[in-house]
Amino acid sequence: LTSLPMISQAAEGNNGTNATLYWVNISVTGATADVYMKANDNLKTSGGDILVLANETYSYNTTNSSVPSDVKTSLTTIYTNHLIGSNLGNGALVYLKFFLSAPSAQPAGTYNNSLTFTVVEYGQSP
């Protein structure tokens, strides 16, 4: 974040209305799968500034690599809040775009956190 406030700033790999550079490729045998995602924590700078996780949003699509972003969901640290693909077969893809918002009082800086993904058999709990 170099200037504030920032509203729905697209991640570098989102590629505007073109194909996104963020995707999950599914490999399953003999079943179908559900894919879940979560964040590990709030976004933080190396200096300790914190941007609460609700300011990090995403959109996803399983058929359109340009990921229309009309609906954005705030990330949380709970897998069950983020089912991003359901009943997916071998070779399926989940395309993602990420966005960040920050209020004007937020210190500028490089904010980071980590995302993790889990794949479970269709209908099972993560």
Side-chain angles (χ1 to χ4, degrees):
L1 301 175
T2 57
S3 64
L4 298 164
M6 186 70 59
I7 306 298
S8 289
Q9 172 66 42
E12 187 173 309
N14 282 1
N15 290 339
T17 58
N18 296 318
T20 181
L21 295 180
Y22 301 110
W23 71 88
V24 179
N25 189 357
I26 309 305
S27 177
V28 294
T29 304
T32 59
D34 292 344
V35 181
Y36 293 85
M37 172 177 73
K38 71 174 185 170
N40 68 321
D41 202 350
N42 291 319
L43 295 119
K44 299 176 183 176
T45 66
S46 59
D49 293 316
I50 295 172
L51 181 60
V52 295
L53 192 53
N55 289 297
E56 185 177 6
T57 59
Y58 68 95
S59 298
Y60 70 95
N61 198 291
T62 57
T63 58
N64 186 343
S65 65
S66 69
V67 190
S69 302
D70 300 339
V71 175
K72 295 179 178 77
T73 303
S74 293
L75 275 163
T76 70
T77 58
I78 302 168
Y79 277 128
T80 54
N81 291 345
H82 306 289
L83 175 62
I84 60 172
S86 181
N87 201 22
L88 301 174
N90 191 45
L93 296 169
V94 179
Y95 302 99
L96 295 151
K97 285 190 175 181
F98 297 94
F99 306 90
L100 193 60
S101 297
S104 57
Q106 188 71 37
T110 301
Y111 288 82
N112 294 294
N113 67 354
S114 296
L115 300 178
T116 55
F117 299 84
T118 191
V119 178
V120 296
E121 188 173 341
Y122 172 65
Q124 300 299 308
S125 235

